[in-house]
């Protein structure tokens, strides 16, 4: 129960703080049991970033776990400060971050690079959010360049899992079976039909990637591709002291040259994140049609500002390769789906969103759950990247309307995968202006059309 109550048709009670609306659990909203349960399942996705910090940045396990805890704390800033949707990683940008970090040795150099990237992302969100240029940039960006970014990120995500020495080679059975289960539940047309008619299928489908992770984990234990967990009891005490040694206050702040290297990747991350905002906003608007009892204000400006604050905090105190994105699409979709069922099912969108994140945070500090998933974190990361790759490629291809766009996007994607964001942006822009938008070609086309029409008339 909550101290304050909302009357039908009004906003959920809050305390005003500048442009933000402060809402606290048990004061302004109640906790929702279904979201609490789901949070105890979904928390392992957040832990999947730990192998990235270990392999590409040089973090210890304990320091990386402390980063995961801080990340969930900053996620809570969203619903507590008035953003009704679930924030999360910029998932589709993770392959691009890996490519960028590949230019640096794990250790102090990689830490500085990640700090530079996260600072760049932070200030891009701040500047483009305040000025409103973000929407203009993304909407006016040619389809071929958008698609090239997404397809390149998708190729990088899948390639990293199937190359020689990748996780497919070391854990083929669990990864293949887990991937097939994941793709069937999330993308299969036959499962979509089952979802509409079968309660069990709908229950499974509502948990997104988690059923596939559970299947892959069980297969990994049965086939001994992953060691059995050594479950410990107690509470996790995050090792913030060790994490401090991986911050820029200890390893040093990045140089201007590293920041300049990071900006192209940061720009691509923003473009991807803005796509998540569009998807999340659309889902929210559709769900709101079912809930006339609650007036909810979704401020894109506040969303940009909070994303700046979260990335800035991480850059200084807990660098994170998933970056702090405005929308966790799967989590948001899950909350909004139940939100549609009315006030008895979920009192407020804020109560659902906050409950999910609070449960994820609590699960991350429960030692039995953390030690249960610790040996199998790589499989959760692999499935996340494979899904990301599939979605990036399919969505990217959908945006292409003709062979010219497909050619520009394809070449840009290959350059992005092979050489990174800087070269990809340059090549994409050059090809766009040379092939798609060169004025002389347009005049020639117009002249050819005119000559053709003249011949028909004569």
């Amino acid at each position: 129960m909550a101290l304050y109550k909302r009357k039908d048709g009004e906003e959920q009670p809050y305390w005003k703080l500048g442009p933000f609306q402060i809402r606290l659990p048990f004061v302004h909203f109640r906790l929702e049991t279904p979201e609490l349960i789901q949070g105890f399942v979904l928390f392992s996705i957040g832990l999947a970033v730990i192998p990235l910090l270990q392999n590409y940045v040089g973090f210890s396990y304990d320091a990386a776990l402390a980063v995961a805890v801080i990340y969930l704390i900053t996620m809570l800033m969203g619903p507590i400060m008035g953003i009704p949707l679930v924030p999360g990683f910029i998932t589709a940008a993770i392959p691009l971050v890996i490519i960028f970090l590949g230019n640096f040795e794990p250790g102090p150099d990689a830490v500085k690079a990640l700090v530079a990237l996260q600072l760049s992302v932070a200030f891009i969100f701040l500047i483009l959010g305040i000025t409103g240029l973000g929407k203009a940039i993304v909407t006016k960006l040619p389809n071929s360049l958008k698609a090239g970014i997404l397809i390149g990120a998708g190729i990088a995500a899948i390639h990293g899992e199937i190359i020689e020495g990748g996780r497919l080679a070391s854990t083929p059975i669990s990864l293949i079976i887990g991937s097939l289960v994941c793709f069937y539940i999330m993308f299969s047309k036959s499962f979509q039909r089952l979802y509409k008619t079968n309660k069990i299928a709908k229950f499974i489908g509502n948990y997104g990637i988690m059923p596939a992770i559970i299947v892959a984990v069980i297969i990994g234990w049965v086939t001994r591709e992953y060691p059995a967990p050594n479950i410990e009891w107690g509470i996790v005490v995050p090792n913030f002291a060790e994490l401090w040694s991986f911050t820029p206050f200890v390893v040093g702040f990045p140089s201007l040259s590293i920041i300049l290297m990071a900006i192209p990747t940061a720009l691509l991350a923003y473009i991807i994140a803005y796509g998540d905002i569009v998807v999340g906003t659309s889902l929210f608007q559709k769900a709101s049609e079912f809930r006339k009892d609650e007036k909810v204000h979704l401020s894109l400006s506040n969303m940009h500002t909070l994303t700046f604050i979260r990335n800035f905090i991480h850059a200084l105190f807990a660098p994170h390769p998933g970056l702090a994105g405005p929308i966790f699409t799967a989590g948001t979709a899950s909350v909004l789906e139940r939100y549609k069922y009315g006030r008895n099912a979920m009192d407020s969108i804020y109560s659902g969103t906050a409950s999910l994140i609070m449960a994820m945070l609590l699960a991350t500090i429960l030692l039995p759950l953390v030690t249960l998933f610790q040996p199998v974190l790589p499989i959760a990361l692999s499935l996340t990247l494979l899904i990301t790759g599939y979605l990036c490629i399919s969505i990217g291809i959908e945006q292409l309307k003709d062979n010219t766009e497909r050619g520009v996007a394809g070449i840009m994607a290959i350059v992005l995968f092979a050489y990174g964001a800087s070269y990809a942006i340059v090549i994409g822009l050059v090809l766009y202006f040379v092939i798609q938008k060169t004025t002389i070609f347009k005049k020639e086309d117009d002249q050819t059309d005119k000559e053709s029409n003249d011949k028909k008339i004569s």
Side-chain angles (χ1 to χ4, degrees):
M1 301 298 291
L3 181 62
Y4 293 102
K5 302 293 183 182
R6 181 186 80 250
K7 294 181 180 179
D8 279 358
E10 295 183 353
E11 282 189 286
Q12 193 72 4
Y14 63 88
W15 296 329
K16 189 170 180 59
L17 179 64
F20 300 107
Q21 300 174 346
I22 304 299
R23 295 180 177 89
L24 301 177
F26 306 113
V27 177
H28 300 100
F29 59 82
R30 73 186 191 193
L31 298 184
E32 305 288 347
T33 301
E35 276 64 44
L36 289 173
I37 295 172
Q38 191 170 357
F40 278 98
V41 179
L42 288 178
F43 90 101
S44 62
I45 296 177
L47 295 186
V49 78
I50 291 176
L52 292 179
L53 282 165
Q54 291 177 295
N55 297 334
Y56 296 99
V57 194
F59 275 48
S60 66
Y61 174 82
D62 288 339
L65 181 59
V67 171
V69 172
I70 292 176
Y71 193 89
L72 286 163
I73 293 173
T74 64
M75 281 178 63
L76 265 177
M77 293 173 65
I80 285 178
M81 297 182 72
I83 302 300
L85 309 182
V86 184
F89 301 165
I90 308 180
T91 309
I94 291 177
L96 307 184
V97 175
I98 293 173
I99 293 173
F100 171 70
L101 292 176
N103 297 309
F104 304 90
E105 285 293 324
D109 288 345
V111 173
K112 291 178 183 178
L114 185 54
V115 169
L117 177 60
Q118 201 137 29
L119 283 175
S120 300
V121 170
F123 282 101
I124 286 173
F125 267 95
L126 179 65
I127 294 169
L128 297 186
I130 291 175
T131 61
L133 291 174
K135 181 178 180 180
I137 291 173
V138 174
T139 55
K140 292 183 179 180
L141 191 71
N143 287 337
S144 54
L145 272 64
K146 291 180 189 176
I149 295 168
L150 290 171
I151 295 171
I155 293 172
I158 295 173
H159 179 264
E161 299 304 311
I162 65 176
I163 58 172
E164 183 178 354
R167 274 182 283 268
L168 179 62
S170 58
T171 57
I173 300 174
S174 55
L175 185 54
I176 290 173
I177 293 177
S179 299
L180 290 175
V181 172
C182 186
F183 287 141
Y184 178 72
I185 291 174
M186 299 192 70
F187 307 120
S188 166
K189 293 182 178 180
S190 63
F191 187 83
Q192 289 174 8
R193 287 196 293 268
L194 279 175
Y195 182 88
K196 296 176 181 178
T197 58
N198 187 286
K199 291 183 179 179
I200 296 176
K202 188 169 185 176
F203 175 81
I204 293 172
N206 285 341
Y207 284 94
I209 188 177
M210 280 311 304
I213 292 178
I214 293 172
V215 169
V217 166
I218 294 173
I219 295 295
W221 285 335
V222 170
T223 60
R224 297 186 178 180
E225 289 182 340
Y226 288 97
N230 180 23
I231 298 177
E232 302 175 22
W233 300 94
I235 301 295
V236 173
V237 179
N239 196 336
F240 295 123
E242 187 171 356
L243 173 58
W244 179 256
S245 66
F246 293 95
T247 66
F249 300 103
V250 175
V251 302
F253 281 83
S255 64
L256 179 60
S257 62
I258 296 178
I259 293 175
L260 292 175
M261 286 179 64
I263 289 175
T265 302
L267 283 170
L268 298 192
Y270 177 82
I271 292 169
I272 292 171
Y274 198 92
D276 292 337
I277 292 175
V278 171
V279 173
T281 302
S282 176
L283 291 173
F284 168 73
Q285 290 172 344
K286 291 177 182 178
S288 295
E289 295 175 1
F290 294 82
R291 293 294 301 267
K292 303 303 181 184
D293 63 284
E294 181 177 19
K295 181 181 178 182
V296 182
H297 177 60
L298 177 60
S299 170
L300 295 185
S301 176
N302 286 355
M303 187 183 293
H304 275 73
T305 303
L306 278 178
T307 306
F308 155 73
I309 294 172
R310 290 173 57 225
N311 277 290
F312 189 76
I313 290 172
H314 278 285
L316 296 183
F317 303 106
H320 193 288
L323 306 177
I327 303 291
F328 171 26
T329 305
T332 295
S334 177
V335 171
L336 289 176
E337 184 63 31
R338 218 173 63 78
Y339 180 66
K340 294 178 183 178
Y341 291 118
R343 190 168 186 177
N344 289 334
M346 183 185 296
D347 182 53
S348 167
I349 184 63
Y350 299 101
S351 62
T353 301
S355 296
L356 179 69
I357 301 172
M358 290 173 68
M360 293 171 67
L361 176 59
L362 179 59
T364 305
I365 62 174
L366 292 179
L367 192 56
L369 288 175
V370 172
T371 52
L372 174 67
F373 282 96
Q374 182 178 350
V376 292
L377 290 180
I379 196 70
L381 176 61
S382 291
L383 292 178
T384 301
L385 289 174
L386 287 172
I387 290 174
T388 299
Y390 179 95
L391 288 171
C392 285
I393 292 172
S394 61
I395 294 172
I397 291 175
E398 281 180 1
Q399 298 189 46
L400 302 171
K401 300 175 183 177
D402 55 47
N403 286 334
T404 303
E405 289 188 348
R406 284 188 280 270
V408 172
I411 294 175
M412 183 180 177
I414 293 170
V415 173
L416 178 60
F417 162 68
Y419 296 103
S422 300
Y423 290 100
I425 290 175
V426 172
I427 291 296
L429 288 171
V430 169
L431 290 178
Y432 171 73
F433 284 107
V434 169
I435 297 177
Q436 291 184 248
K437 292 297 291 182
T438 300
T439 305
I440 187 171
F441 289 170
K442 182 68 177 175
K443 288 182 178 179
E444 288 176 352
D445 290 341
D446 292 345
Q447 184 66 27
T448 302
D449 291 341
K450 182 178 180 181
E451 291 175 357
S452 176
N453 289 334
D454 290 343
K455 288 180 181 179
K456 289 179 181 180
I457 293 173
S458 61

